[in-house]
Amino acid sequence: MTALLRFDAVTKSYGRPSRFPWRGPAATPVLHGISLTVARGETVGIVGESGSGKSTLGRMALRLVSPTRGRVLFDGHDITAMSEREFRPFRSRVQMIFQDPHNALDPAISVGDSVSEALEATQPALSRSERGERVAALLQQVGLNPLSAGRRPHAFSGGQKQRIGIARALATRPELIVADESVSALDVSVQAHILNLMHDLREQLGLAYLFIAHDLAVVRRVSHRVAVLYRGRIVEAGGRDALFDTPLHPYTRMLLRSVPRTHPLSEAPAPGAPAEPQEPVAGCPFYTRCAERMDICRHVDPPARTVVAGHDVACHAA
Amino acid sequence: MQPHPPAGTNASVLDVAALTVATRDNAVVIVNDLTLHVRAGEMLALLGESGCGKSMTSLALMRLADGLNTSGRITLLGRDIATLPEKAMSPIRGREIAMIFQNPMSALNPVRSVGQQISETIRRHKGLSRKAARQRAIALLGEVGLADPVRCYDAYAHELSGGMCQRVMIAMAISCDPALLIADEPTTALDVTIQKQIMDLLHALKIRRGMGILMITHDLGVVAAYADRVAVMYAGRVVEQGDVHALFSAPHHPYTRGLMDSMPDLADTSDRFHAIPGMVPELRALPPGCSFAPRCTRADVQCTHVFPGHTMVDRNGFVRCFHPLQVAA
C-alpha cells in the first residue's frame, strides 16, 4: 500500500547557493537526506532539540517549505513538483495544528468565523446555513459548546483555543495532521485533555499524525513509530517500544536520560550531558557531544542501517 | 550587608506570612493568604498551572507588584521588607534577592555585551572598580559553566544559545551573593538536555553557596528531581505543602494527585492520558468554598461553602482539604 506521506531523501538548505561550487555549499543543510513514511491512520513522532529541523520537516509536508533536493510524496503524488493549481486538491488533505493556539487565531473575528473560513476555502459549494451547521458540529466534535461560536478568541482559555485550532484543522476533512509542538504550551492537566481528544479523533476519523514534540514521554504515549532528529538527520528511527526500551544511538540515550524523573525516589539521573555543542566535524554530527565516539566518527558520517526490522540507526558504535 | 545564615541550619532566609495580592478594587484576589518559608541551602518549589498566581507571588516578593493591593509580611533575613519604601528596597533587589526568568534572551540587553551587564550589576552593588568588576564577572561566567568565559564576556545575547544566555543570567543573579534566588520557570523555554544542565547548575550553586532558591514552575518533573520542599498552588492559594519525598509518595490533596496522574510518564504506555475533569476557574469568578470542589470527586456540601483550613500532615507539611487522600495518623 502506498504510504500517505513519504519523504524521499529530502535535503533542505537555506541561503544562496555559492557562486563558487568548489568552495562547497554556502550553508549547512537544515535537513539532510531524510527518508521517512507515515501510513494512513499512523502517528509518527518526531523528536529533537531546537534547531534539529523538526519544524522544517513538518512544514514541508504542507508544502510551506520546498526541499532543496529529494521529493515529498503525498498519497503517491510528488507534491514538490506540482504547480500551485495541481497542488490545490491536496491542500485540504493535510492540515496543521500549531504550538501557540493564541497566535494561530485571528483575534478580530469570532471563532466560528475562523472555522468557517476554512470551510469556505475548501468546500465553496456549501450554503451559508450548511456551513453554520458544519461549524457547530466541528466545535461539538472537539468538545466545545457550539453556542460559543460567536465569541472571539480572547474569551477562551489556552486549552479551548487549542481545541478551536483543531476544529479549524478538521474542517477540511484532512487525512494527515501535522502537530508541531501542539501541546507544549499547555499546562499538564490541559495537555492531557487535548492529547485524549487527538487520540479519539484518530480513532473516529482514521487520521494520521506527524507528531512533532520535544517531550519524550508524550511522544512515547501517542506514537506508533518515532524518528529522532539531530542537526537535520534522522539518527535513529523505530517502533516506539523498540526505540524507547532499547535505544541504539548515544544521542537517543542522552535524551532519555535528560527526561526529568516523575518521582523523587525513582532512579537517579545519570551524569550531566556534555556542555554546549561545538563546531561540527566532517564526520558524525553528534561527534562533539558523544560519550562513545571513536576515531572513525570524526571523519566518516555514519550511514543509516537497519539493525532489526523497522529499527534504523546511524551510528558507528551501535 | 547582613551575613547569610549558614547552610544546613534551619534558619529561614525568607518568611512569608499571609501574603495577599489583589487588584486595587479588591475585586480579584490573585494571591490569597500565602504562607511559606525558604531556608538557606534549600530549594522550595512553588508548583502550579498558568494563572494560579505563582508568578504574581514572585513579583510581590520582589516588591514589583505595582498597582496592586498587597498585604501580609515578607521577612527577608529577619527584616520585614513588605512595607519598605522603594528607596530602601532598591539596593535589596539584586544584592539580597535576585531573580532569573523564563526567557533569558529577552531578559538581556541586546546592545550591550553580556559581560558589561554583569559588571554593571557588580559595580552598582559592590562599588568595585571597572577592572575588578570585569575580573569578577569573568570568574562568575566560569563558575556557571561557560566554557570560554573571557570570550563570553564580550559576546552579545544573540551570539549565545538559550542555555548559554540562561547561564549568563544566573551569573548575573549570583554576582552579589544573594541569600535568595527566585527562579521563575527558568528552564521552560529550553530543550530537555539543556534544561537538565541548568537545573544541575542551580542545584550545585544551592549547595556550594548555601543559597535559598524559590523555584516557580509548572513542571512536576523538575520538582521531583531537584526540589527539597514543594508548595502546590491552585487558584491563588497554596493547597498543599510538604517535603518532596513525602508529597510525591503520598499526595494528600486531590488536585496534587490529579496533577501527578496527568503527567506523562516514560514508563506508562497506555493510550489515554489521565485528565482532571473540568477547567481551572477564573480568578474573577471563583466558586464559593474550596476552589477545587467543582472538579473534585471527593467534594461534598461542606466543600462548596467553606474553604478548608490548614491541616498538618507531618512536621513539614499541610493540606487544605476536608477530605484529604490519606489522613495523617
Side-chain angles (χ1 to χ4, degrees), chain A residues 49-50 160 187-189 191-193 195-196 199-200 217-218 220-221 240 254 258 260-265 270 274 276 289, chain B residues 49-50 161 164 191 193 195-197 221 224-225 244-245 248 259 262-266 268-276 279:
Chain A
E49 295 172 276
S50 19
Q160 289 173 322
D187 278 316
V188 53
S189 71
Q191 175 178 304
H193 285 288
L195 289 169
N196 285 339
H199 174 82
D200 295 344
V218 168
R220 168 158 209 177
R221 292 276 284 278
R240 63 127 184 240
M254 181 175 130
S258 308
R261 298 167 292 163
T262 51
H263 192 282
L265 297 180
E276 311 282 336
R289 293 171 82 184
Chain B
E49 298 182 272
S50 330
S161 68
M164 290 163 94
D191 283 319
T193 55
Q195 165 176 316
K196 186 174 176 335
Q197 293 171 21
V244 161
H245 285 205
F248 274 77
L259 266 188
S262 331
M263 184 171 163
D265 186 329
L266 262 185
D268 187 349
T269 54
S270 59
D271 274 343
R272 291 189 68 82
F273 291 82
H274 175 92
I276 307 173
M279 299 168 28

Short mmCIF file of all heavy atoms in Angstrom, two decimals, chain A residues 49-50 160 187-189 191-193 195-196 199-200 217-218 220-221 240 254 258 260-265 270 274 276 289, chain B residues 49-50 161 164 191 193 195-197 221 224-225 244-245 248 259 262-266 268-276 279:
data_model
loop_
_atom_site.label_atom_id
_atom_site.label_comp_id
_atom_site.label_asym_id
_atom_site.label_seq_id
_atom_site.Cartn_x
_atom_site.Cartn_y
_atom_site.Cartn_z
N GLU A 49 15.90 18.43 19.45
CA GLU A 49 16.01 19.69 20.16
C GLU A 49 15.74 20.85 19.22
O GLU A 49 15.62 20.65 18.01
CB GLU A 49 17.41 19.81 20.76
CG GLU A 49 17.66 18.77 21.83
CD GLU A 49 19.11 18.77 22.28
OE1 GLU A 49 19.94 18.15 21.64
OE2 GLU A 49 19.37 19.42 23.28
N SER A 50 15.70 22.07 19.76
CA SER A 50 15.50 23.21 18.88
C SER A 50 16.65 23.27 17.89
O SER A 50 17.80 23.01 18.23
CB SER A 50 15.42 24.53 19.65
OG SER A 50 15.94 24.41 20.93
N GLN A 160 -8.88 25.67 25.39
CA GLN A 160 -10.03 25.83 24.49
C GLN A 160 -9.60 26.37 23.14
O GLN A 160 -10.10 25.95 22.10
CB GLN A 160 -11.05 26.78 25.12
CG GLN A 160 -11.76 26.17 26.31
CD GLN A 160 -12.65 27.17 27.02
OE1 GLN A 160 -12.29 28.34 27.15
NE2 GLN A 160 -13.79 26.73 27.48
N ASP A 187 -0.69 23.69 29.97
CA ASP A 187 -0.46 23.11 31.28
C ASP A 187 -0.69 21.61 31.24
O ASP A 187 -1.46 21.12 30.42
CB ASP A 187 -1.42 23.73 32.29
CG ASP A 187 -0.92 25.07 32.79
OD1 ASP A 187 0.27 25.16 33.07
OD2 ASP A 187 -1.72 26.01 32.86
N VAL A 188 -0.06 20.92 32.18
CA VAL A 188 -0.08 19.46 32.12
C VAL A 188 -1.50 18.91 32.20
O VAL A 188 -1.85 17.96 31.49
CB VAL A 188 0.88 18.85 33.16
CG1 VAL A 188 0.63 19.38 34.55
CG2 VAL A 188 0.81 17.35 33.17
N SER A 189 -2.37 19.51 32.99
CA SER A 189 -3.72 18.95 33.10
C SER A 189 -4.54 19.24 31.83
O SER A 189 -5.39 18.46 31.44
CB SER A 189 -4.44 19.49 34.34
OG SER A 189 -4.76 20.84 34.18
N GLN A 191 -3.08 19.67 28.83
CA GLN A 191 -2.40 18.86 27.83
C GLN A 191 -3.03 17.46 27.74
O GLN A 191 -3.26 16.94 26.65
CB GLN A 191 -0.93 18.75 28.27
CG GLN A 191 -0.07 17.86 27.44
CD GLN A 191 1.36 17.89 27.94
OE1 GLN A 191 1.98 18.93 28.04
NE2 GLN A 191 1.90 16.73 28.27
N ALA A 192 -3.35 16.88 28.89
CA ALA A 192 -3.95 15.55 28.91
C ALA A 192 -5.28 15.55 28.15
O ALA A 192 -5.55 14.63 27.38
CB ALA A 192 -4.14 15.09 30.35
N HIS A 193 -6.09 16.60 28.35
CA HIS A 193 -7.38 16.68 27.65
C HIS A 193 -7.18 16.73 26.14
O HIS A 193 -7.88 16.07 25.38
CB HIS A 193 -8.14 17.94 28.08
CG HIS A 193 -8.75 17.85 29.45
ND1 HIS A 193 -9.83 17.07 29.73
CD2 HIS A 193 -8.41 18.44 30.61
CE1 HIS A 193 -10.15 17.19 31.01
NE2 HIS A 193 -9.29 18.02 31.57
N LEU A 195 -4.53 15.79 24.32
CA LEU A 195 -3.98 14.55 23.78
C LEU A 195 -5.05 13.47 23.69
O LEU A 195 -5.09 12.70 22.72
CB LEU A 195 -2.81 14.07 24.65
CG LEU A 195 -1.55 14.94 24.55
CD1 LEU A 195 -0.55 14.58 25.63
CD2 LEU A 195 -0.90 14.79 23.17
N ASN A 196 -5.93 13.42 24.67
CA ASN A 196 -7.04 12.46 24.61
C ASN A 196 -7.95 12.76 23.43
O ASN A 196 -8.40 11.85 22.73
CB ASN A 196 -7.84 12.47 25.91
CG ASN A 196 -7.11 11.76 27.03
OD1 ASN A 196 -6.22 10.95 26.78
ND2 ASN A 196 -7.46 12.06 28.26
N HIS A 199 -6.31 11.64 20.28
CA HIS A 199 -6.38 10.19 20.19
C HIS A 199 -7.76 9.74 19.71
O HIS A 199 -7.87 8.90 18.81
CB HIS A 199 -6.07 9.59 21.57
CG HIS A 199 -6.26 8.11 21.64
ND1 HIS A 199 -5.30 7.24 21.21
CD2 HIS A 199 -7.30 7.37 22.07
CE1 HIS A 199 -5.75 6.00 21.38
NE2 HIS A 199 -6.96 6.05 21.90
N ASP A 200 -8.82 10.32 20.29
CA ASP A 200 -10.18 9.94 19.91
C ASP A 200 -10.45 10.27 18.45
O ASP A 200 -11.08 9.50 17.73
CB ASP A 200 -11.20 10.66 20.80
CG ASP A 200 -11.08 10.23 22.25
OD1 ASP A 200 -10.46 9.18 22.50
OD2 ASP A 200 -11.61 10.94 23.14
N ALA A 217 8.09 11.74 26.85
CA ALA A 217 7.06 10.92 27.49
C ALA A 217 5.75 11.02 26.71
O ALA A 217 5.05 10.02 26.53
CB ALA A 217 6.86 11.37 28.94
N VAL A 218 5.43 12.22 26.21
CA VAL A 218 4.22 12.39 25.40
C VAL A 218 4.37 11.64 24.08
O VAL A 218 3.48 10.90 23.66
CB VAL A 218 3.94 13.89 25.15
CG1 VAL A 218 2.88 14.06 24.09
CG2 VAL A 218 3.52 14.57 26.44
N ARG A 220 6.14 9.09 23.36
CA ARG A 220 6.04 7.65 23.54
C ARG A 220 4.58 7.20 23.61
O ARG A 220 4.21 6.18 23.04
CB ARG A 220 6.77 7.23 24.82
CG ARG A 220 6.44 5.80 25.19
CD ARG A 220 7.44 5.16 26.07
NE ARG A 220 7.40 3.73 25.77
CZ ARG A 220 8.18 2.85 26.32
NH1 ARG A 220 9.10 3.22 27.16
NH2 ARG A 220 8.08 1.59 26.00
N ARG A 221 3.78 7.99 24.31
CA ARG A 221 2.40 7.56 24.51
C ARG A 221 1.57 7.66 23.23
O ARG A 221 0.69 6.85 23.01
CB ARG A 221 1.74 8.43 25.60
CG ARG A 221 2.31 8.22 26.97
CD ARG A 221 1.68 7.04 27.66
NE ARG A 221 0.35 7.34 28.14
CZ ARG A 221 0.09 7.97 29.27
NH1 ARG A 221 1.08 8.35 30.04
NH2 ARG A 221 -1.13 8.19 29.65
N ARG A 240 7.87 2.55 18.58
CA ARG A 240 8.08 3.33 19.80
C ARG A 240 8.66 2.49 20.94
O ARG A 240 9.52 2.95 21.67
CB ARG A 240 6.80 4.03 20.22
CG ARG A 240 5.65 3.09 20.58
CD ARG A 240 5.11 3.42 21.95
NE ARG A 240 4.10 2.47 22.32
CZ ARG A 240 2.84 2.80 22.60
NH1 ARG A 240 2.46 4.04 22.53
NH2 ARG A 240 1.99 1.87 22.97
N MET A 254 20.99 9.76 25.48
CA MET A 254 21.20 11.00 26.22
C MET A 254 19.88 11.73 26.43
O MET A 254 19.60 12.24 27.51
CB MET A 254 22.18 11.88 25.45
CG MET A 254 22.52 13.19 26.13
SD MET A 254 23.80 14.02 25.16
CE MET A 254 23.04 15.61 25.01
N SER A 258 17.86 12.62 29.99
CA SER A 258 17.56 14.00 30.38
C SER A 258 16.12 14.20 30.82
O SER A 258 15.77 15.23 31.36
CB SER A 258 17.83 14.96 29.22
OG SER A 258 19.11 14.76 28.71
N PRO A 260 13.13 14.48 32.97
CA PRO A 260 13.04 14.57 34.43
C PRO A 260 12.27 13.38 34.99
O PRO A 260 11.32 12.90 34.39
CB PRO A 260 12.27 15.87 34.67
CG PRO A 260 12.27 16.59 33.38
CD PRO A 260 12.46 15.59 32.31
N ARG A 261 12.72 12.93 36.14
CA ARG A 261 12.03 11.82 36.79
C ARG A 261 10.66 12.28 37.24
O ARG A 261 10.47 13.43 37.60
CB ARG A 261 12.84 11.36 38.01
CG ARG A 261 14.20 10.85 37.65
CD ARG A 261 15.04 10.71 38.89
NE ARG A 261 15.34 12.01 39.47
CZ ARG A 261 15.76 12.16 40.71
NH1 ARG A 261 15.90 11.13 41.50
NH2 ARG A 261 16.05 13.36 41.17
N THR A 262 9.72 11.38 37.28
CA THR A 262 8.39 11.79 37.73
C THR A 262 8.21 11.51 39.22
O THR A 262 7.21 11.84 39.79
CB THR A 262 7.29 11.07 36.95
OG1 THR A 262 7.56 9.67 36.99
CG2 THR A 262 7.24 11.54 35.53
N HIS A 263 9.19 10.89 39.82
CA HIS A 263 9.11 10.66 41.25
C HIS A 263 10.50 10.83 41.85
O HIS A 263 11.47 10.35 41.27
CB HIS A 263 8.59 9.24 41.52
CG HIS A 263 8.23 9.05 42.96
ND1 HIS A 263 9.17 8.83 43.93
CD2 HIS A 263 7.03 9.07 43.57
CE1 HIS A 263 8.54 8.73 45.10
NE2 HIS A 263 7.25 8.87 44.91
N PRO A 264 10.61 11.52 42.99
CA PRO A 264 11.95 11.79 43.53
C PRO A 264 12.71 10.52 43.93
O PRO A 264 13.93 10.55 44.03
CB PRO A 264 11.67 12.67 44.75
CG PRO A 264 10.24 12.51 45.05
CD PRO A 264 9.56 12.15 43.79
N LEU A 265 12.00 9.43 44.13
CA LEU A 265 12.71 8.22 44.56
C LEU A 265 13.07 7.30 43.39
O LEU A 265 13.70 6.28 43.59
CB LEU A 265 11.86 7.45 45.57
CG LEU A 265 11.59 8.21 46.87
CD1 LEU A 265 10.74 7.39 47.81
CD2 LEU A 265 12.90 8.60 47.56
N ALA A 270 21.51 10.15 35.37
CA ALA A 270 22.89 9.86 35.00
C ALA A 270 23.68 11.16 34.98
O ALA A 270 23.10 12.23 35.00
CB ALA A 270 22.90 9.20 33.64
N PRO A 274 27.14 16.42 28.14
CA PRO A 274 28.27 17.30 27.86
C PRO A 274 27.80 18.73 27.57
O PRO A 274 26.63 18.93 27.24
CB PRO A 274 28.91 16.69 26.62
CG PRO A 274 28.33 15.34 26.49
CD PRO A 274 27.03 15.32 27.21
N GLU A 276 27.62 22.66 25.92
CA GLU A 276 27.06 23.14 24.66
C GLU A 276 27.81 22.56 23.45
O GLU A 276 29.02 22.40 23.48
CB GLU A 276 27.16 24.66 24.60
CG GLU A 276 26.65 25.36 25.84
CD GLU A 276 25.14 25.43 25.87
OE1 GLU A 276 24.53 25.37 24.79
OE2 GLU A 276 24.58 25.53 26.97
N ARG A 289 29.47 15.86 21.07
CA ARG A 289 28.76 15.65 22.33
C ARG A 289 28.72 14.18 22.74
O ARG A 289 28.14 13.84 23.77
CB ARG A 289 27.31 16.16 22.22
CG ARG A 289 27.22 17.65 22.07
CD ARG A 289 25.80 18.07 21.73
NE ARG A 289 24.95 18.16 22.91
CZ ARG A 289 23.65 18.43 22.85
NH1 ARG A 289 23.07 18.59 21.69
NH2 ARG A 289 22.93 18.51 23.95
N GLU B 49 -0.33 25.72 37.85
CA GLU B 49 -0.59 25.89 36.42
C GLU B 49 -0.75 27.37 36.09
O GLU B 49 -0.82 28.21 36.99
CB GLU B 49 -1.86 25.12 36.05
CG GLU B 49 -1.71 23.63 36.28
CD GLU B 49 -2.94 22.87 35.86
OE1 GLU B 49 -3.86 22.70 36.66
OE2 GLU B 49 -2.97 22.44 34.70
N SER B 50 -0.82 27.68 34.79
CA SER B 50 -0.96 29.08 34.37
C SER B 50 -2.10 29.76 35.12
O SER B 50 -3.16 29.17 35.27
CB SER B 50 -1.27 29.20 32.88
OG SER B 50 -0.73 28.16 32.16
N SER B 161 23.54 30.73 22.74
CA SER B 161 22.34 29.90 22.69
C SER B 161 21.47 30.19 23.92
O SER B 161 21.89 30.87 24.85
CB SER B 161 22.74 28.43 22.68
OG SER B 161 23.30 28.09 23.94
N MET B 164 23.07 29.07 27.10
CA MET B 164 24.19 29.93 27.49
C MET B 164 23.67 31.24 28.07
O MET B 164 24.20 31.75 29.06
CB MET B 164 25.11 30.20 26.29
CG MET B 164 25.89 28.97 25.87
SD MET B 164 26.56 29.15 24.21
CE MET B 164 28.19 29.79 24.57
N ASP B 191 15.55 23.27 25.76
CA ASP B 191 15.48 21.85 25.42
C ASP B 191 15.77 20.98 26.65
O ASP B 191 16.46 21.41 27.56
CB ASP B 191 16.54 21.52 24.36
CG ASP B 191 16.09 21.99 22.99
OD1 ASP B 191 14.91 21.83 22.68
OD2 ASP B 191 16.93 22.51 22.25
N THR B 193 17.79 18.50 27.26
CA THR B 193 19.19 18.25 27.65
C THR B 193 19.77 19.50 28.31
O THR B 193 20.52 19.43 29.27
CB THR B 193 20.06 17.85 26.45
OG1 THR B 193 19.93 18.84 25.45
CG2 THR B 193 19.62 16.52 25.88
N GLN B 195 17.89 21.88 29.76
CA GLN B 195 17.14 22.04 31.00
C GLN B 195 17.84 21.31 32.13
O GLN B 195 18.01 21.83 33.23
CB GLN B 195 15.73 21.47 30.81
CG GLN B 195 14.99 21.25 32.11
CD GLN B 195 13.57 20.77 31.89
OE1 GLN B 195 12.86 21.27 31.05
NE2 GLN B 195 13.14 19.79 32.65
N LYS B 196 18.29 20.10 31.83
CA LYS B 196 18.95 19.30 32.86
C LYS B 196 20.26 19.97 33.30
O LYS B 196 20.56 20.03 34.48
CB LYS B 196 19.21 17.90 32.30
CG LYS B 196 19.77 16.96 33.33
CD LYS B 196 19.86 15.55 32.76
CE LYS B 196 20.50 14.57 33.73
NZ LYS B 196 21.38 15.13 34.71
N GLN B 197 21.01 20.49 32.33
CA GLN B 197 22.26 21.16 32.68
C GLN B 197 22.02 22.37 33.58
O GLN B 197 22.74 22.60 34.55
CB GLN B 197 22.99 21.64 31.42
CG GLN B 197 23.50 20.53 30.54
CD GLN B 197 23.99 21.07 29.21
OE1 GLN B 197 24.32 22.24 29.08
NE2 GLN B 197 24.06 20.21 28.21
N GLY B 221 8.24 17.26 36.87
CA GLY B 221 9.48 16.52 36.72
C GLY B 221 10.64 17.28 37.36
O GLY B 221 11.47 16.69 38.06
N ALA B 224 10.24 17.06 41.16
CA ALA B 224 10.59 15.74 41.70
C ALA B 224 12.09 15.55 41.75
O ALA B 224 12.63 14.98 42.70
CB ALA B 224 9.94 14.65 40.85
N ALA B 225 12.77 16.06 40.72
CA ALA B 225 14.20 15.78 40.62
C ALA B 225 15.06 16.71 41.47
O ALA B 225 16.13 16.33 41.91
CB ALA B 225 14.64 15.85 39.16
N VAL B 244 9.38 17.04 49.41
CA VAL B 244 9.13 16.48 48.10
C VAL B 244 8.89 14.97 48.17
O VAL B 244 7.95 14.45 47.57
CB VAL B 244 10.30 16.81 47.14
CG1 VAL B 244 10.31 15.89 45.96
CG2 VAL B 244 10.17 18.25 46.68
N HIS B 245 9.71 14.27 48.94
CA HIS B 245 9.57 12.82 49.00
C HIS B 245 8.21 12.43 49.55
O HIS B 245 7.51 11.60 48.99
CB HIS B 245 10.67 12.20 49.87
CG HIS B 245 11.98 12.16 49.16
ND1 HIS B 245 12.96 11.26 49.46
CD2 HIS B 245 12.46 12.94 48.16
CE1 HIS B 245 14.00 11.49 48.67
NE2 HIS B 245 13.71 12.49 47.89
N PHE B 248 5.32 13.46 47.04
CA PHE B 248 5.20 12.64 45.84
C PHE B 248 4.82 11.20 46.18
O PHE B 248 4.15 10.53 45.39
CB PHE B 248 6.48 12.67 45.02
CG PHE B 248 6.54 13.83 44.06
CD1 PHE B 248 6.84 15.10 44.51
CD2 PHE B 248 6.27 13.65 42.72
CE1 PHE B 248 6.87 16.18 43.64
CE2 PHE B 248 6.30 14.72 41.84
CZ PHE B 248 6.61 15.99 42.30
N LEU B 259 -2.75 16.26 39.27
CA LEU B 259 -1.60 16.77 38.51
C LEU B 259 -0.59 15.66 38.26
O LEU B 259 -0.07 15.50 37.16
CB LEU B 259 -0.90 17.86 39.32
CG LEU B 259 -1.24 19.31 39.11
CD1 LEU B 259 -0.26 20.18 39.88
CD2 LEU B 259 -1.21 19.68 37.64
N SER B 262 -1.77 13.33 35.65
CA SER B 262 -1.81 13.85 34.27
C SER B 262 -0.44 13.89 33.63
O SER B 262 -0.32 14.01 32.43
CB SER B 262 -2.35 15.28 34.20
OG SER B 262 -3.23 15.57 35.20
N MET B 263 0.58 13.83 34.46
CA MET B 263 1.92 13.98 33.91
C MET B 263 2.33 12.72 33.16
O MET B 263 2.31 11.64 33.71
CB MET B 263 2.90 14.22 35.04
CG MET B 263 4.26 14.48 34.50
SD MET B 263 5.33 15.00 35.81
CE MET B 263 6.89 14.73 35.03
N PRO B 264 2.66 12.88 31.87
CA PRO B 264 3.05 11.69 31.12
C PRO B 264 4.33 11.09 31.70
O PRO B 264 5.25 11.81 32.07
CB PRO B 264 3.26 12.19 29.70
CG PRO B 264 3.20 13.65 29.75
CD PRO B 264 2.77 14.10 31.10
N ASP B 265 4.35 9.79 31.79
CA ASP B 265 5.50 9.09 32.35
C ASP B 265 6.07 8.21 31.24
O ASP B 265 5.33 7.55 30.52
CB ASP B 265 5.01 8.24 33.54
CG ASP B 265 6.16 7.60 34.28
OD1 ASP B 265 7.18 7.29 33.64
OD2 ASP B 265 6.02 7.41 35.50
N LEU B 266 7.38 8.23 31.10
CA LEU B 266 8.02 7.43 30.05
C LEU B 266 7.66 5.95 30.17
O LEU B 266 7.58 5.24 29.18
CB LEU B 266 9.55 7.56 30.17
CG LEU B 266 10.22 8.55 29.25
CD1 LEU B 266 11.72 8.45 29.42
CD2 LEU B 266 9.85 8.31 27.80
N ASP B 268 4.90 4.62 31.24
CA ASP B 268 3.48 4.31 31.03
C ASP B 268 3.20 4.32 29.53
O ASP B 268 3.50 5.28 28.84
CB ASP B 268 2.65 5.39 31.75
CG ASP B 268 1.17 5.05 31.72
OD1 ASP B 268 0.78 4.13 30.99
OD2 ASP B 268 0.42 5.72 32.44
N THR B 269 2.61 3.26 29.01
CA THR B 269 2.39 3.22 27.57
C THR B 269 0.91 3.08 27.21
O THR B 269 0.58 2.73 26.09
CB THR B 269 3.18 2.06 26.92
OG1 THR B 269 2.83 0.85 27.60
CG2 THR B 269 4.67 2.29 27.02
N SER B 270 0.04 3.37 28.16
CA SER B 270 -1.38 3.27 27.81
C SER B 270 -1.75 4.40 26.85
O SER B 270 -1.08 5.41 26.77
CB SER B 270 -2.24 3.35 29.07
OG SER B 270 -1.98 4.57 29.74
N ASP B 271 -2.83 4.20 26.11
CA ASP B 271 -3.22 5.12 25.05
C ASP B 271 -3.73 6.45 25.57
O ASP B 271 -3.47 7.50 25.01
CB ASP B 271 -4.35 4.49 24.22
CG ASP B 271 -3.80 3.61 23.13
OD1 ASP B 271 -2.59 3.76 22.84
OD2 ASP B 271 -4.55 2.80 22.59
N ARG B 272 -4.53 6.39 26.62
CA ARG B 272 -5.19 7.61 27.08
C ARG B 272 -4.45 8.23 28.26
O ARG B 272 -3.80 7.54 29.02
CB ARG B 272 -6.63 7.32 27.46
CG ARG B 272 -7.51 6.98 26.27
CD ARG B 272 -8.96 6.93 26.68
NE ARG B 272 -9.47 8.24 27.03
CZ ARG B 272 -9.89 9.13 26.14
NH1 ARG B 272 -9.84 8.87 24.87
NH2 ARG B 272 -10.36 10.30 26.54
N PHE B 273 -4.59 9.54 28.37
CA PHE B 273 -3.96 10.26 29.46
C PHE B 273 -4.99 10.51 30.55
O PHE B 273 -6.15 10.80 30.25
CB PHE B 273 -3.42 11.59 28.96
CG PHE B 273 -2.26 11.43 28.03
CD1 PHE B 273 -2.46 11.13 26.69
CD2 PHE B 273 -0.96 11.56 28.49
CE1 PHE B 273 -1.39 10.97 25.83
CE2 PHE B 273 0.11 11.40 27.63
CZ PHE B 273 -0.10 11.10 26.30
N HIS B 274 -4.54 10.44 31.78
CA HIS B 274 -5.43 10.80 32.86
C HIS B 274 -5.62 12.31 32.85
O HIS B 274 -4.67 13.05 32.78
CB HIS B 274 -4.84 10.36 34.20
CG HIS B 274 -5.67 10.79 35.36
ND1 HIS B 274 -6.64 9.99 35.89
CD2 HIS B 274 -5.71 11.95 36.05
CE1 HIS B 274 -7.23 10.65 36.87
NE2 HIS B 274 -6.68 11.83 37.00
N ALA B 275 -6.85 12.77 32.92
CA ALA B 275 -7.10 14.20 32.92
C ALA B 275 -8.00 14.56 34.08
O ALA B 275 -8.91 13.81 34.42
CB ALA B 275 -7.74 14.61 31.60
N ILE B 276 -7.73 15.73 34.70
CA ILE B 276 -8.62 16.21 35.75
C ILE B 276 -9.86 16.76 35.05
O ILE B 276 -9.73 17.57 34.13
CB ILE B 276 -7.95 17.34 36.57
CG1 ILE B 276 -6.59 16.88 37.09
CG2 ILE B 276 -8.86 17.78 37.71
CD1 ILE B 276 -5.80 17.99 37.77
N MET B 279 -12.12 22.59 34.20
CA MET B 279 -11.05 23.55 33.94
C MET B 279 -10.74 24.36 35.19
O MET B 279 -11.56 24.47 36.08
CB MET B 279 -11.49 24.57 32.88
CG MET B 279 -11.84 24.00 31.56
SD MET B 279 -12.66 25.21 30.51
CE MET B 279 -12.02 26.76 31.08
#
